[in-house]
Amino acid sequence: MTLGDLIEATFLGLIEGLTEFIPVSSTGHLLLVGHFLGFESSGKTFEVLIQLGAILAILVVYSTRFVDVAIRLPTDPQARRFVIGIVVGFLPAAVIGVLAHGFIKRVLFETPALVCVTLILGGVVLLIVDRLRLPQRHHDAMRLSPLMCFGIGCCQAVAMIPGVSRSGATIVGAMLMGVEKRAAAEFSFFLALPTMAGAFTYDLYKNWSLLSADDGLLILVGFVAAFCAAVLVVKTLLDFVARHGFAPFAYYRIAAGVLGLLGLWLVG
């Protein structure tokens, strides 16, 4: 392992933290940037395991609210409804992730052109949905019904395809179901916790034997960088969305996808 490897791990960790909770596909960015940098991780585990930094960022920023939910859980039906909704919303991604894990890692993660195409298509969808005059019946991300959470979770499962964006699919699904933009973005934070924790745990279990001490150090470096960047994003994203919507992210996705395809064509 060289200093260059550590710098690349730091850079990729920052990308993970900056893009995990905005609808531009953090995994897609990591795969594309890693491809152009020539960065290779054992079993593509680095790209999944550094997500733990983003998970901890959510826990830190929302610690007071989560502690309050935990305290009220035994006596407050609304607190229990929130927890049930998150669990139900997580199930579609969990089932598909387990059943298709091998195909996702061996095929989808190894196809950078697919990432570029899904970035572009996802950007078009996000732009269309952002401009629609959708009804906004739900303004509290912690008061969605379990049925709505399941529907949003089914949308999230589409993001098993790299480049789609977990947060983007979740936000689009929530908005189509009448959730206000800010609340949709916040719900994507909450649903990320079990989804990313599950992906981390399952990927670590499947690839533990492939990891070396050098891999562990690179993952640690990427984790710290991802945590620092994700805290910044989580603290600022909701206000940005309230002012500007999701159109800036849609345009960025389309541009990134086009540039990615151009780059792949130039390098052959």
Side-chain angles (χ1 to χ4, degrees), residues 20 86-94 96 149-161 164-174 177 187-196:
E20 179 59 51
I86 294 300
V87 173
V88 168
F90 160 65
L91 289 179
I96 294 176
C149 293
F150 179 76
I152 296 170
C154 289
C155 295
Q156 175 183 247
V158 179
M160 293 295 169
I161 304 171
V164 169
S165 171
R166 185 207 59 78
S167 61
T170 304
I171 288 168
V172 166
M177 295 181 193
F187 184 77
S188 77
F189 293 168
F190 300 148
L191 193 54
L193 288 175
T195 305
M196 294 162 62

Side-chain angles (χ1 to χ4, degrees), residues 30-212:
L30 290 177
L31 294 174
L32 278 180
V33 174
H35 175 80
F36 289 120
L37 289 177
F39 182 86
E40 291 289 339
S41 64
S42 301
K44 293 292 184 184
T45 55
F46 177 88
E47 292 83 352
V48 176
L49 298 186
I50 63 170
Q51 293 178 351
L52 181 63
I55 298 172
L56 291 182
I58 290 288
L59 290 175
V60 169
V61 174
Y62 281 90
S63 58
T64 301
R65 198 180 302 188
F66 289 147
V67 168
D68 178 63
V69 169
I71 292 173
R72 293 189 291 111
L73 198 60
T75 58
D76 186 350
Q78 182 55 50
R80 291 195 293 271
R81 187 186 191 203
F82 169 69
V83 172
I84 291 171
I86 294 300
V87 173
V88 168
F90 160 65
L91 289 179
V95 172
I96 294 176
V98 170
L99 294 178
H101 180 268
F103 176 75
I104 293 169
K105 296 297 285 289
R106 289 192 303 269
V107 178
L108 299 184
F109 272 37
E110 300 291 346
T111 313
L114 172 66
V115 175
C116 297
V117 172
T118 52
L119 279 172
I120 295 169
L121 294 178
V124 172
V125 171
L126 184 62
L127 186 60
I128 292 172
V129 173
D130 186 66
R131 290 183 171 181
L132 290 176
R133 293 183 178 276
L134 297 168
Q136 298 184 353
R137 298 184 298 272
H138 307 280
H139 301 270
D140 189 340
M142 301 187 75
R143 290 182 173 271
L144 304 183
S145 71
L147 183 59
M148 283 189 66
C149 293
F150 179 76
I152 296 170
C154 289
C155 295
Q156 175 183 247
V158 179
M160 293 295 169
I161 304 171
V164 169
S165 171
R166 185 207 59 78
S167 61
T170 304
I171 288 168
V172 166
M175 289 173 60
L176 290 175
M177 295 181 193
V179 181
E180 179 262 337
K181 291 180 181 180
R182 182 187 178 97
E186 189 169 45
F187 184 77
S188 77
F189 293 168
F190 300 148
L191 193 54
L193 288 175
T195 305
M196 294 162 62
F200 173 90
T201 303
Y202 190 71
D203 204 82
L204 184 62
Y205 164 74
K206 296 289 286 187
N207 294 291
W208 176 261
S209 62
L210 301 176
L211 299 177
S212 65

